[in-house]
Amino acid sequence: MRSVVVVLGASGGIGRAVTADQVAHGRHVVAVARGEKTLAMRDEHITPVLGDAAKPEDLEEVFSVAAGIGPVDALVHSVFADARVPLTELDTAAMQQVFAAGATSALKAAQLLHQQPARTTACVLVGSIHAGFGEAGMAAYSTAKAALRGISRSLAVEWGPEGMRTNLVEPGFVPVPRNESLTDDTVLEQLQHAYPSPRLCTPDDVAHLTTFLLSDRAEFINGATVPVDGGAGAVLPETLLRRPPAAHAKEQ
């Protein structure tokens, strides 16, 4: 029977790249997202499912579908919500919505993976470097991503002895369709200046790391938080004032 991986948030830039990379490595993917464009992903190696990861009943249905295809031994959670408002306007309802999608759903999905009969399983949660930094108007998003760190480590410690590995990847800024309204060439050039690497992160960068972490080659990696940020987290902020813009920034 085919090995099955559940990818939550499969229609987004990162989720779509993860789905493609998993198929390329021989897995069958149950691709889950809320948008109708998810259905267009169907082929012999992908089973698309419309569902809201923030709803426990939808997640239970997803895993029921997946278990009917083959042994479910992997999960990728690439789901988020945000509330881009100042702290003075951030209310409890908005925080709950962001947490339900970005953090609580990860725990519920991991619980469902843990219930699968597969002897060993692997889970990758897609976080963000926002978990370790602050940005005005992004408190809900950053806090939810920080919560993923605690969830990932707890899953690794508690269920690692039972054969379930859990790791967290934290990308830097990734130019994807949902960011198009927030960026233009000038903003992208400024962002590039903040990253030591010669380019920004791509969905494929995250997908390739995720595929490795789900594979047997990473069988002793558990409870890790891996940045995919081109060295941004290593930069001393004041050095950005002295560092000239990258010469290749306009060549991308």
Side-chain angles (χ1 to χ4, degrees), residues 27-210:
R27 286 186 184 269
H28 188 91
V29 178
V30 173
V32 186
R34 293 184 300 174
E36 291 289 337
K37 63 181 179 180
T38 306
L39 297 178
M41 300 176 71
R42 182 184 299 276
D43 73 12
E44 62 178 320
H45 303 295
I46 302 174
T47 300
V49 178
L50 286 177
D52 185 345
K55 297 180 179 179
E57 62 273 21
D58 283 10
L59 289 176
E60 290 170 0
E61 176 62 23
V62 164
F63 275 83
S64 176
V65 170
I69 297 169
V72 184
D73 61 4
L75 165 69
V76 178
H77 181 279
S78 182
V79 182
F80 83 99
D82 62 12
R84 296 174 183 264
V85 295
L87 287 170
T88 52
E89 300 174 20
L90 183 59
D91 58 25
T92 301
M95 284 292 291
Q96 289 176 337
Q97 181 180 18
V98 172
F99 259 74
T104 309
S105 65
L107 175 58
K108 176 62 177 178
Q111 290 171 331
L112 290 167
L113 177 65
H114 180 252
Q115 294 172 10
Q116 302 305 306
R119 184 177 63 85
T120 60
T121 55
C123 174
V124 172
L125 309 180
V126 180
S128 169
I129 61 171
H130 274 267
F133 298 92
E135 180 182 355
M138 296 293 289
Y141 180 80
S142 295
T143 306
K145 291 301 186 181
L148 281 181
R149 289 182 173 182
I151 292 171
S152 176
R153 291 167 181 164
S154 296
L155 294 171
V157 170
E158 191 160 342
W159 288 339
E162 300 178 29
M164 178 173 161
R165 296 186 298 106
T166 303
N167 293 291
L168 175 69
V169 298
E170 292 188 338
F173 180 83
V174 184
V176 292
R178 71 176 178 86
N179 292 323
E180 288 178 349
S181 63
L182 304 173
T183 57
D184 55 26
D185 289 344
T186 300
V187 172
L188 288 174
E189 184 173 342
Q190 292 172 340
L191 282 167
Q192 177 60 65
H193 181 50
Y195 285 78
S197 292
R199 60 175 176 81
L200 295 174
C201 184
T202 70
D204 283 340
D205 290 324
V206 183
H208 295 162
L209 175 60
T210 297

Side-chain angles (χ1 to χ4, degrees), residues 237-249:
E238 52 263 40
T239 64
L240 295 176
L241 300 176
R242 300 191 294 269
R243 186 154 59 91
H248 43 64

